[in-house]
Amino acid sequence: MSVVKINVLTVPAEQRETLEQRFASRAGAVESSDGFEWFELLRPVEGTDQYLVYTRWRDEASFQAWMEGPMKASHQGQADGGDRPKPASSSAAVWTFEVVQQAAPKSE
Ligand code: HEM
């Protein structure tokens, strides 16, 4: 079964719009990666103030390959400071899950 990788972003309230705009402008950054299955940017409403970047992959190897290649290109500059704009998030942590069971609506 698939593997779920969630990047948990802490985002100060005044940076939320910036974060969402940056994600919107990177739409398409991950779709064509081998083994990529799903992506959602989840905005917190209740119970937490952290954004979740939900991604699902065919297997761990597909995720690792994306991290080593396309991800590095699409995340350039967020960690290295330099001249690039400051990250909207103040911290990030990755959670890993295995999909145990899943369901989708029946197509009739
Ligand atoms: C689980 C997979 C992912 C990991 C491990 C990851 C890693 C990160 C990290 C560490 C940051 C924060 C950088 C910092 O604060 O210095 C970040 C921010 C960001 N990532 Fe990802 N990312 C993932 C998925 C994605 C995907 C699928 C997209 C695009 C569709 C994306 C686009 C962005 C953007 C636009 C930011 C915002 C930069 C900001 O804070 O202004 N990420 N990511």
Side-chain angles (χ1 to χ4, degrees):
M1 275 265 206
S2 306
V3 58
V4 169
K5 297 282 180 175
I6 298 177
N7 195 24
V8 185
L9 296 175
T10 304
V11 185
E14 69 277 11
Q15 293 294 324
R16 283 182 167 209
E17 208 178 319
T18 303
L19 182 94
E20 292 186 18
Q21 277 168 5
R22 286 181 183 169
F23 268 87
S25 71
R26 303 244 195 110
V30 73
E31 277 96 326
S32 51
S33 296
D34 186 47
F36 167 77
E37 294 182 345
W38 201 257
F39 154 75
E40 281 166 356
L41 174 63
L42 303 178
R43 179 200 292 148
V45 175
E46 198 188 330
T48 181
D49 58 2
Q50 290 178 306
Y51 278 77
L52 301 184
V53 185
Y54 176 103
T55 65
R56 199 183 73 207
W57 303 83
R58 185 175 59 221
D59 48 34
E60 180 70 30
S62 303
F63 173 69
Q64 292 301 336
W66 177 73
M67 290 274 280
E68 290 307 310
M71 190 268 195
K72 281 198 172 145
S74 68
H75 286 73
Q76 259 174 16
Q78 270 128 38
D80 62 9
D83 300 340
R84 307 212 177 237
K86 264 180 65 141
S89 54
S90 58
S91 75
V94 179
W95 293 344
T96 301
F97 298 87
E98 288 172 344
V99 177
V100 179
Q101 188 176 345
Q102 65 185 25
K106 278 188 188 164
S107 49
E108 310 238 350

